Amino acid sequence: MTDVVAMILAGGQGKRLGILTENIAKPAVPFGGKYRIIDFTLSNCTNSSFYIVGVLTQYKPRVLSKHLGIGRDWDLDRKQGGLSILSPYAASSKGEWYKGTAHAIYQNMDFIDQFSPKYVLVLSGDHVYNMDYNEMLDFHISKRSEATIACIQVPIKDASRFGTIITDNTSHVIDFEEKPNHPRSRLVSMGIYLFNWKMLRSFLIEDANDPDSMHDFGKNVIPKMLLKNRYMYAYDFDGYWRDVGTIHSFWSTNLELTHSMPALNLYDPNWRFYTHSEEMPPAFFGRNSKIVNSLVSEGCTVYGDVEGSVLFQGVKVGEGSLVKNSVIMTNVNIGQNCHLENAVVSESVIVKDGASIGIGEYVENVEQPDIYNHGISVIGEKTIIASGAQIGKNCSVGNFLDMEKMNVKILESGHNLRER
Amino acid sequence: MKVLGLILAGEKGKGLGKLTAKRASAAVPIGGKYRAIDFTLSNMVRAGIKKVGVLTQYNPRSLMDHLGSGREWDLDRKRGGLYILQPYVSESDQYWYRGTADAIYQNMTLLRRGSEDYVLIGSGDHIFSFDFNALYDYHMTSMADITVMTKSIEGYDPKLYGVVKTNDEGRIVKFEEKPPNPDGDKISLGMYFVNKKMLMDLLYTAASNGGYDFVNEIIVANLDMLRIMSYEFTGYWRNAKKSVSEYKKINMDMLNREVSRELFYQNGKIFTKLKDLAPPKITSTGSVKNSIVADGSIISGKVEDSVVFRNVEIRSGAVVKDSIILENSVIEEGAKLNNCILDKNVTIRSERVYKGYDEPLIFEKWQIM
């Protein structure tokens, strides 16, 4: 498709992921054993043959930029189009951060114009889903739509967390409400928009000049288009789509992959998910290891027991240890006789012998119950968990901590450990 | 130091039977995701060699597909890079490579044109991990004309290798190919380090005498005239093309943590063609003991003492023991395998039982049992 430019919004922090996004942007958060969240959107672009892709970065882009490189892993290193990383920039008169989703696209109008596309597809780098954008494009064209919003149905009680859409029986959008208190519809926006570029362009300029605007698609641009009676349609998507914006949804969406016949098929040869991964030898399973319902990536060596968990590349599980219902990220080293349950352990953490995580009484998190809940405990990257340490439920242990040096052995349920 | 790497990868490897019916021995799959040539290629690249020529002849399709532009080994370069050297027809002659020396001789242009001072000759069948810098150092400090990599004969059948005898300072005084009564305590590993200009001279001389074999024409013929030294390697080294049981042993050696650490971690990574498959999945009925399992595989059956390559499906109730399962194979419900080697894309139908006795049982590509 040469008449579509895909713009991926990848600048968000994802505050509700707590320490997981303290140092990296949400699209760069590892997912599914070897991927990062943005891989799903990028792979959808490649699988849909959309080869002109701009990735808009802002919040802590180091890991994300390194991961993307020149886009080679997604076949996006192209002589025509390909992947471009679009960061906020300084111009002769003034430099500006992206003030909102619409402003981010506005700032990169030059980038889009050079391809003179008919359509612009605005995507989010925060979601895990598989979608053929061609079907949405076909829908857009056949409806003679000027703006198409991809939507899914959610239970009405959850709808208030999203932008809700009210349509007539031809999928024509009549009204759009961003995070309403009393939702009138189960149809919610996936944050995926397809616009006729000429039309969008004029609305972006108008929006940029509006001092009262928050420069957000859902809050400002879409309502303005509706107000001016532009042809707007809702594309009802019935495939797999997950917003992994909270610790609980991140954890459960990962663990879903370990079920038999999960909704997201990572093994479909016709819809591969591509990523940038390190070269490591295949996973090794020791003679006394016991593994069920788990993903165990390359470079892993497992001597202990693993149950219902996702192990990323290069994870070691020592003898006598049990890892249950947990997400263990790249190069984590778990010693002997450890016990991990309902844990999310970030990259390169060392769990020394005899430590336990996620064991104990269920107590709500004292400081941030909205982030650390459902009994899940989260360990930050490169942290060292002291030998014999006991970490309870709903806990968090910050990034780059050394519990041995801090002389901490016990973290009771519901508490956070940070640098002092 | 500028070194040109040459990898001999043109052989069939008769000892491997059906496994090399449709591929050169350098392309035989090893250790879950690699091919034999990955080891020598990665060793060379890690030692800073920027230009590598791969000499192919016997059925190179799968080898070529694997190597591609050399990108996985950082050899897709504007300067240097990967050169695939196939036999060719020209105005003056049209020969297959008639031997190892002839293969290099026919590609003299590559030697003549480059700015390299030295040539490192390796083979696509060798499974080992080594920092070749140690070999350069030895070559320099021992004032060698040619350095041959060797290893203690212990654990190797002399009838299958070249046997080397050295004097006290490590100079080779005798070199016999596959002798019935070996006189010497080392085997040659078939890897040579030599000054490029000297190699060119030696090759021209050999060619004008009608000699085609590297060992005979370059090494044995010059033992008196040149200072040919032996560099003794002490790590893990195996030749994948010797026999089926050797091939199986190499794969099973990967289950040994010491070997695996030496091969894949100690000197850096072994690179291979990436396939971007999802992590392997062990389902509720699956169990894996003392085995390696590569990406994209889904294990619902029992796997023990085995090497499972990429994209393999082992369904529930199936039992795989002491076997090697290559890419894309499917083992259906209740099937049982013991001491078997399944080539790529083999399907074993449910409830079938196969067992290899003295030799592993080999199933050819695309077989459906």
Side-chain angles (χ1 to χ4, degrees):
Chain A
M1 279 293 135
T2 53
D3 48 4
V4 186
V5 172
M7 299 290 274
I8 302 178
L9 300 162
Q13 178 184 356
K15 282 201 187 86
R16 287 175 305 161
L17 286 174
I19 51 168
L20 294 181
T21 50
E22 204 173 82
N23 296 309
I24 57 176
K26 182 174 162 192
V29 169
F31 183 88
K34 66 187 288 195
Y35 308 95
R36 292 186 188 267
I37 292 172
I38 198 170
D39 290 338
F40 295 88
T41 304
L42 283 172
S43 301
N44 286 336
C45 284
T46 305
N47 286 327
S48 305
S49 308
F50 284 35
Y51 287 127
I52 309 174
V53 178
V55 180
L56 299 121
T57 62
Q58 173 150 303
Y59 176 81
K60 301 242 172 160
R62 184 181 59 82
V63 174
L64 183 60
S65 302
K66 169 85 176 105
H67 179 68
L68 297 174
I70 57 167
R72 190 176 188 286
D73 290 299
W74 302 268
D75 273 354
L76 289 171
D77 57 328
R78 304 231 153 216
K79 300 214 167 169
Q80 296 178 330
L83 179 117
S84 307
I85 296 181
L86 305 167
S87 55
Y89 54 87
S92 53
S93 53
K94 57 176 179 179
E96 277 181 313
W97 294 105
Y98 296 147
K99 288 183 281 192
T101 50
H103 184 248
I105 305 287
Y106 169 80
Q107 288 283 72
N108 290 291
M109 287 199 312
D110 287 356
F111 169 79
I112 299 172
D113 279 336
Q114 63 176 323
F115 301 105
S116 8
K118 253 189 177 148
Y119 312 102
V120 167
L121 179 65
V122 177
L123 302 166
S124 154
D126 291 353
H127 303 139
V128 176
Y129 64 114
N130 57 344
M131 179 174 180
D132 188 342
Y133 302 130
N134 287 301
E135 286 173 24
M136 184 177 176
L137 181 64
D138 291 348
F139 174 87
H140 182 83
I141 296 170
S142 65
K143 288 279 182 191
R144 297 177 200 281
S145 173
E146 292 178 291
T148 300
I149 307 174
C151 309
I152 49 153
Q153 312 257 1
V154 297
I156 196 96
K157 66 178 169 50
D158 296 336
S160 59
R161 287 181 15 226
F162 298 92
T164 61
I165 288 163
I166 295 100
T167 59
D168 68 11
N169 57 8
T170 62
S171 299
H172 185 248
V173 178
I174 300 165
D175 208 355
F176 182 95
E177 291 175 312
E178 186 70 21
K179 299 185 179 139
N181 290 327
H182 303 287
R184 290 189 284 153
S185 162
R186 293 173 51 214
L187 208 57
V188 303
S189 163
M190 295 158 65
I192 296 172
Y193 310 99
L194 183 61
F195 298 106
N196 286 3
W197 173 229
K198 261 193 202 149
M199 194 243 351
L200 175 66
R201 202 175 188 285
S202 63
F203 273 90
L204 288 177
I205 295 170
E206 194 188 315
D207 175 74
N209 292 325
D210 179 355
D212 300 328
S213 173
M214 291 165 79
H215 310 293
D216 185 82
F217 275 106
K219 289 189 191 110
N220 311 103
V221 177
I222 300 290
K224 260 182 221 163
M225 285 177 177
L226 278 175
L227 210 63
K228 296 208 169 157
N229 288 320
R230 306 314 300 228
Y231 290 108
M232 188 179 292
Y233 284 86
Y235 170 69
D236 198 347
F237 177 69
D238 57 2
Y240 178 90
W241 182 84
R242 295 283 187 281
D243 176 22
V244 286
T246 63
I247 295 273
H248 177 246
S249 67
F250 172 78
W251 171 84
S252 64
T253 310
N254 265 292
L255 295 200
E256 247 178 62
L257 298 171
T258 68
H259 302 168
S260 60
M261 309 297 273
L264 175 64
N265 183 4
L266 296 174
Y267 304 86
D268 182 356
N270 299 316
W271 204 269
R272 283 239 184 113
F273 294 104
Y274 302 97
T275 185
H276 175 76
S277 58
E278 275 204 57
E279 182 60 65
M280 290 198 188
F284 172 78
F285 301 83
R287 190 166 295 284
N288 302 317
S289 65
K290 217 166 80 196
I291 295 108
V292 278
N293 285 331
S294 297
L295 300 190
V296 181
S297 304
E298 289 184 330
C300 287
T301 43
V302 183
Y303 293 101
D305 295 355
V306 179
E307 219 180 298
S309 298
V310 175
L311 269 51
F312 283 64
Q313 287 189 312
V315 171
K316 294 190 173 55
V317 179
E319 253 170 80
S321 289
L322 169 66
V323 177
K324 197 174 166 185
N325 300 337
S326 295
V327 179
I328 313 291
M329 295 187 197
T330 310
N331 291 329
V332 169
N333 195 336
I334 298 169
Q336 298 181 356
N337 304 317
C338 297
H339 187 170
L340 282 70
E341 247 183 272
N342 302 339
V344 174
V345 183
S346 305
E347 287 177 39
S348 304
V349 165
I350 298 172
V351 181
K352 298 213 164 158
D353 294 352
S356 68
I357 300 172
I359 313 296
E361 214 186 331
Y362 187 98
V363 178
E364 265 198 21
N365 192 279
V366 186
E367 296 164 67
Q368 298 164 298
D370 51 331
I371 293 180
Y372 306 107
N373 44 42
H374 289 81
I376 303 161
S377 286
V378 187
I379 314 295
E381 66 172 311
K382 297 201 173 74
T383 283
I384 297 170
I385 307 293
S387 124
Q390 290 171 22
I391 295 169
K393 294 187 166 84
N394 290 327
C395 289
S396 86
V397 179
N399 296 302
F400 309 110
L401 299 184
D402 184 340
M403 285 178 80
E404 281 183 337
K405 275 198 189 136
M406 294 170 83
N407 213 1
V408 179
K409 276 261 172 175
I410 291 169
L411 186 66
E412 279 171 39
S413 290
H415 285 76
N416 298 342
L417 183 67
R418 301 198 179 82
E419 207 164 355
R420 290 176 198 153
Chain B
M1 185 184 302
K2 281 181 135 180
V3 180
L4 168 70
L6 288 178
I7 301 180
L8 302 169
E11 280 195 64
K12 175 180 194 285
K14 284 194 202 95
L16 292 181
K18 292 179 195 165
L19 289 172
T20 50
K22 291 192 173 108
R23 56 167 81 88
S25 59
V28 292
I30 300 277
K33 65 184 282 198
Y34 305 95
R35 289 183 187 259
I37 197 170
D38 291 341
F39 293 84
T40 296
L41 202 48
S42 302
N43 287 336
M44 285 187 173
V45 168
R46 286 193 322 235
I49 296 180
K50 301 279 193 297
K51 192 198 267 186
V52 178
V54 177
L55 296 127
T56 66
Q57 174 150 296
Y58 177 79
N59 201 344
R61 191 203 56 79
S62 84
L63 185 62
M64 303 281 272
D65 173 45
H66 181 68
L67 296 172
S69 65
R71 182 176 190 279
E72 312 287 357
W73 300 269
D74 276 347
L75 286 172
D76 58 331
R77 296 273 156 189
K78 297 200 174 177
R79 295 164 62 95
L82 182 72
Y83 291 75
I84 308 281
L85 306 169
Q86 288 173 295
Y88 53 88
V89 174
S90 71
E91 269 188 8
S92 53
D93 56 1
Q94 38 192 299
Y95 294 116
W96 293 104
Y97 296 149
R98 289 160 293 187
T100 42
D102 186 47
I104 303 172
Y105 174 76
Q106 289 200 37
N107 291 290
M108 195 62 95
T109 321
L110 187 70
L111 272 67
R112 207 180 311 127
R113 285 215 183 128
S115 60
E116 294 79 15
D117 305 310
Y118 297 91
V119 181
L120 172 62
I121 299 169
S123 154
D125 310 313
H126 297 168
I127 311 302
F128 70 118
S129 173
F130 175 58
D131 179 0
F132 278 120
N133 284 302
L135 181 67
Y136 312 162
D137 288 351
Y138 178 83
H139 184 81
M140 293 299 145
T141 51
S142 66
M143 316 276 278
D145 291 316
I146 301 176
T147 302
V148 180
M149 272 197 32
T150 61
K151 194 165 186 262
S152 158
I153 202 163
E154 223 169 294
Y156 298 92
D157 180 358
K159 286 195 282 299
L160 296 172
Y161 299 89
V163 175
V164 169
K165 189 177 173 186
T166 55
N167 67 12
D168 291 347
E169 56 158 357
R171 183 171 169 179
I172 298 178
V173 294
K174 199 169 179 185
F175 192 123
E176 285 179 300
E177 274 288 38
K178 299 164 190 160
N181 306 305
D183 176 24
D185 55 357
K186 299 186 186 76
I187 57 162
S188 161
L189 302 187
M191 282 177 270
Y192 316 97
F193 193 78
V194 54
N195 180 302
K196 190 177 83 177
K197 289 259 159 55
M198 179 185 291
L199 176 66
M200 287 165 69
D201 283 350
L202 294 170
L203 287 170
Y204 279 123
T205 315
S208 63
N209 297 335
Y212 303 130
D213 182 63
F214 193 89
V215 170
N216 284 327
E217 303 301 325
I218 311 292
I219 307 291
V220 177
N222 296 302
L223 282 176
D224 297 334
M225 304 250 298
L226 299 175
R227 193 171 154 82
I228 301 180
M229 302 295 290
S230 141
Y231 174 84
E232 195 176 338
F233 178 61
T234 50
Y236 179 89
W237 180 91
R238 290 274 151 195
N239 188 333
K241 73 163 176 288
K242 290 294 176 193
S243 67
V244 170
S245 48
E246 180 78 357
Y247 173 76
K248 185 171 172 223
K249 178 178 162 25
I250 293 168
N251 277 287
M252 293 304 165
D253 280 346
M254 308 281 166
L255 301 178
N256 178 330
R257 292 293 86 191
E258 303 281 298
V259 173
S260 160
R261 201 168 299 133
E262 182 186 330
L263 285 178
F264 300 113
Y265 294 100
Q266 195 170 290
N267 299 308
K269 293 180 189 294
I270 301 295
F271 302 101
T272 188
K273 186 175 173 182
L274 274 180
K275 294 227 167 138
D276 272 54
L277 298 166
K281 181 169 176 172
I282 321 291
T283 69
S284 56
T285 53
S287 115
V288 185
K289 311 250 180 222
N290 191 38
S291 298
I292 56 182
V293 180
D295 272 4
S297 293
I298 301 179
I299 312 291
S300 305
K302 270 192 176 158
V303 178
E304 213 177 315
D305 305 320
S306 295
V307 176
V308 178
F309 281 68
R310 294 191 272 208
N311 239 346
V312 169
E313 224 183 297
I314 297 178
R315 305 224 178 118
S316 57
V319 180
V320 175
K321 263 191 185 162
D322 194 28
S323 294
I324 300 169
I325 316 293
L326 300 194
E327 241 172 278
N328 300 329
S329 288
V330 180
I331 295 149
E332 294 186 350
E333 290 80 357
K336 291 185 172 52
L337 299 176
N338 194 339
N339 194 15
C340 294
I341 300 176
L342 270 60
D343 207 329
K344 285 165 109 178
N345 301 84
V346 171
T347 305
I348 304 287
R349 290 273 184 243
S350 54
E351 306 294 339
R352 294 298 178 106
V353 180
Y354 294 99
K355 183 170 168 36
Y357 291 93
D358 296 341
E359 281 268 298
L361 209 54
I362 301 181
F363 295 84
E364 277 176 85
K365 268 188 187 179
W366 296 105
Q367 247 182 316
I368 297 172
M369 303 306 295

